[in-house]
């Protein structure tokens, strides 16, 4: 069969989700996650660190039987409240990729599942939304179970050109949901609270939304602030929210924008673009290293935003390795592959099919995903059987629904 790969598993959060949050599909339910952690232990899988994986890929350093790496993107609070106690309970370890602009400034660690287990509170009282604090990261690092690494600094989207693709308006008008990053970019110091505080409410209705892209790979376009003001004033003078009851509201705004000279906007220069990217990568590494008293060696690219120049900048900033595009074909984290590039696979919970989210996938489904990454061919057929089962079940569930 050849050498087995080392699956590096991508999660985001473990928790019940947050009311009204657009990205609840990123969270794995705690009972499903516990089943996954349990089967890993029962079947003899062994969690390894990124340092161990790097040494294996670079030098052929030995690893224990059935090695794997657990990783969590973004640094959600529930990595502390839910995931960490369950990882510890089953004797595993994990990596959290923290985006530094989302760090919560709160002082002390917040309650976790361990407080539920000892009877001091109920599970539904645990905070479900938000991001990690320095105190919580330090507490997890101190145990040796959790390794905090970099997910860059901003993890946002920036305008990338003068083309107007939409206008900010009340929620629900023509199915509109404000992109969270509009609020992040206007109030970067409050990004950590956006899951519970609607930051987009600080943005005037009528504000144009330009063509945009992920911050690290987008040469930023700075819009003309005078056009923003003109459009916002136009909407305000015509009733604010009431303006959007008009059938021609969009044509009205597009006409004003079309008549406005575009000379007030500009792209960042090539030097500004390179400097911003270099500063973000180095700054995130420095911020985490200083806060946690450690050397930060690994980087996960936010949203998969990556290009060749960024890879070079990451090495120059001091990172030993970074993640590839998700599930890069043909890469299994083997000795002989470039140790500077870490390939990852999904956790299978939730699993998406035709707009439906199957939340309660079986532990065996998760295990076959890891075995497939390893290169074990029979895992493909076992996964197909699971998927047929979930597809059949999905026919009888609402489009946003779960399943057991």
């Amino acid at each position: 069969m050849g050498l087995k790969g080392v699956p590096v598993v991508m999660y985001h959060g473990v928790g019940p989700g947050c009311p009204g949050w657009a990205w609840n599909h990123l969270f794995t339910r705690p009972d499903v996650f516990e089943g996954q952690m349990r089967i890993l232990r029962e079947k003899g899988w062994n969690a390894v660190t990124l340092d161990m994986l790097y040494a294996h890929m670079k030098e052929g350093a030995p690893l224990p039987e059935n090695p794997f790496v657990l990783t969590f993107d973004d640094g959600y609070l529930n990595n502390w409240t839910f995931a960490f106690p369950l990882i510890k309970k089953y004797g595993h370890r994990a990596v959290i990729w923290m985006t530094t602009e989302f760090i919560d400034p709160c002082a002390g660690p917040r309650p976790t599942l361990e407080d539920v287990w000892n009877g001091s509170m109920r599970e539904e009282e645990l905070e479900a939304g938000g991001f990690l604090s320095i105190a919580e990261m330090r507490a997890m690092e101190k145990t040796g179970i959790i390794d905090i690494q970099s997910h860059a600094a901003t993890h946002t989207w920036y305008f990338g050109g003068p083309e107007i693709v939409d206008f900010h308006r009340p929620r629900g008008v023509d199915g509109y949901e404000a992109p969270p990053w509009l609020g992040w970019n206007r109030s970067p110091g409050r990004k950590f609270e956006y899951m519970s505080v609607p930051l987009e409410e600080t943005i005037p209705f009528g504000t144009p939304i330009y063509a945009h892209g992920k911050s690290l790979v987008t040469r930023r376009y700075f819009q003309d602030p005078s056009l923003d003001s003109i459009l916002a004033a136009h909407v305000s003078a015509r009733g604010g929210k009431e303006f959007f009851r008009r059938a021609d509201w969009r044509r009205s705004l597009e006409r004003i924008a079309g008549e406005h000279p575009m000379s007030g906007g500009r792209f960042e220069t090539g030097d500004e673009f390179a400097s911003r990217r270099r500063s973000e990568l180095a700054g995130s590494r420095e911020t985490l290293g200083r806060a946690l008293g450690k050397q930060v060696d690994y980087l996960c690219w936010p949203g998969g935003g990556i290009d060749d120049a960024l890879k070079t900048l990451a090495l120059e900033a001091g990172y030993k390795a970074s993640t590839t595009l998700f599930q890069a074909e043909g890469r299994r984290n083997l000795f002989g592959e470039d140790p500077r590039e870490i390939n990852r696979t999904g956790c299978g919970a939730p699993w998406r099919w035709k707009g439906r989210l199957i939340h309660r996938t079986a532990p065996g489904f998760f295990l076959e995903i890891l075995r497939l990454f390893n290169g074990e061919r029979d895992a493909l057929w076992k996964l197909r059987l699971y998927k047929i089962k979930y597809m059949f079940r999905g026919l009888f569930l609402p489009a946003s629904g779960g399943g057991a």
Side-chain angles (χ1 to χ4, degrees):
M1 183 181 66
L3 294 174
K4 289 185 178 181
V6 183
V8 178
V9 188
M10 181 186 76
Y11 292 90
H12 284 81
V14 175
C18 303
W21 191 49
W23 292 334
N24 277 316
H25 62 278
L26 296 177
F27 290 174
T28 301
R29 297 190 177 183
D31 58 328
V32 174
F33 183 72
E34 181 163 14
Q36 294 174 339
M37 296 302 98
R38 182 186 299 114
I39 200 170
L40 286 171
R41 187 177 71 179
E42 291 174 349
K43 298 297 183 180
W45 287 71
N46 293 283
V48 299
T49 66
L50 289 176
D51 280 339
M52 293 167 69
L53 176 62
Y54 181 84
H56 172 72
M57 293 178 67
K58 184 177 181 180
E59 304 162 2
L63 292 175
E65 186 177 4
N66 297 324
F68 69 97
V69 182
L70 297 176
T71 69
F72 295 80
D73 289 16
D74 304 336
Y76 294 103
L77 171 60
N78 62 31
N79 294 175
W80 161 255
T81 54
F82 285 94
F84 172 57
L86 290 168
I87 291 166
K88 181 164 58 172
K89 177 179 178 179
Y90 290 97
H92 303 309
R93 61 178 87 185
V95 178
I96 294 174
W97 307 106
M98 186 73 219
T99 302
T100 51
E101 283 193 359
F102 286 90
I103 295 174
D104 192 308
C106 70
R110 287 160 283 191
T112 75
L113 269 180
E114 292 187 334
D115 295 285
V116 176
W117 295 338
N118 66 27
S120 60
M121 66 186 310
R122 294 175 296 140
E123 184 170 326
E124 54 268 30
E125 294 177 311
L126 292 176
E127 290 189 52
F131 293 86
L132 294 169
S133 68
I134 295 294
E136 289 152 354
M137 288 189 282
R138 285 175 176 167
M140 289 188 287
E141 278 267 351
K142 188 176 180 180
T143 67
I145 294 170
I146 300 296
D147 177 21
I148 306 294
Q149 296 291 333
S150 174
H151 203 30
T154 62
H155 202 335
T156 191
W157 284 253
Y158 286 144
F159 294 151
E163 178 191 0
I164 295 175
V165 297
D166 209 345
F167 299 92
H168 181 57
R169 56 191 182 275
R171 181 178 184 179
V173 174
D174 294 344
Y176 178 72
E177 291 282 347
W181 50 267
L182 284 181
W184 302 348
N185 295 346
R186 180 171 287 259
S187 306
R190 300 181 65 191
K191 288 169 74 168
F192 70 93
E193 59 182 344
Y194 93 93
M195 290 173 70
S196 57
V197 177
L199 300 181
E200 68 275 7
E201 290 185 357
T202 65
I203 302 171
F205 293 136
T207 297
I209 300 173
Y210 294 85
H212 46 271
K214 294 166 186 171
S215 58
L216 280 174
V217 293
T218 299
R219 187 172 173 184
R220 191 172 184 180
Y221 176 75
F222 298 96
Q223 75 274 28
D224 182 351
S226 67
L227 177 57
D228 288 15
S229 299
I230 290 169
L231 291 170
H234 179 79
V235 171
S236 178
R238 286 156 182 79
K241 290 183 178 181
E242 294 302 312
F243 169 77
F244 295 95
R245 295 181 179 272
R246 297 171 42 169
D248 67 338
W249 69 263
R250 186 182 294 274
R251 288 194 301 273
S252 175
L253 295 178
E254 288 175 341
R255 177 183 56 79
I256 295 170
E259 294 172 352
H260 188 81
M262 299 303 293
S263 57
R266 75 169 185 91
F267 285 95
E268 62 185 349
T269 67
D271 286 345
E272 287 173 332
F273 182 42
S275 177
R276 172 171 63 82
R277 301 207 297 177
R278 186 179 298 110
S279 177
E280 173 159 351
L281 298 182
S284 172
R285 183 171 184 261
E286 180 182 353
T287 296
L288 289 173
R290 183 173 60 251
L292 302 175
K294 60 178 282 185
Q295 182 166 298
V296 175
D297 289 325
Y298 303 97
L299 170 69
C300 176
W301 299 106
I306 182 175
D307 58 34
D308 289 341
L310 274 176
K311 294 179 184 179
T312 299
L313 289 175
L315 295 173
E316 291 174 352
Y319 294 102
K320 290 163 60 175
S322 62
T323 53
T324 65
L325 290 174
F326 183 59
Q327 294 181 325
E329 187 174 355
R331 296 186 59 86
R332 295 194 284 129
N333 302 324
L334 292 166
F335 171 52
E337 293 179 353
D338 189 343
R340 298 172 300 178
E341 298 190 3
I342 303 163
N343 191 18
R344 296 192 296 164
T345 190
C347 63
W351 179 63
R352 186 183 294 275
W353 176 69
K354 290 190 175 182
R356 293 173 168 84
L357 291 174
I358 311 299
H359 288 281
R360 298 189 185 281
T361 56
F365 181 69
F366 168 74
L367 203 60
E368 296 307 327
I369 290 174
L370 271 60
R371 294 184 64 245
L372 181 64
F373 189 97
N374 269 356
E376 299 182 43
R377 295 182 179 179
D378 67 308
L380 178 61
W381 298 102
K382 292 181 180 180
L383 276 173
R384 285 174 176 169
L385 290 175
Y386 274 112
K387 289 179 179 180
I388 290 170
K389 171 184 172 182
Y390 296 144
M391 286 187 290
F392 178 78
R393 181 180 298 164
L395 293 173
F396 303 98
L397 293 170
S400 61

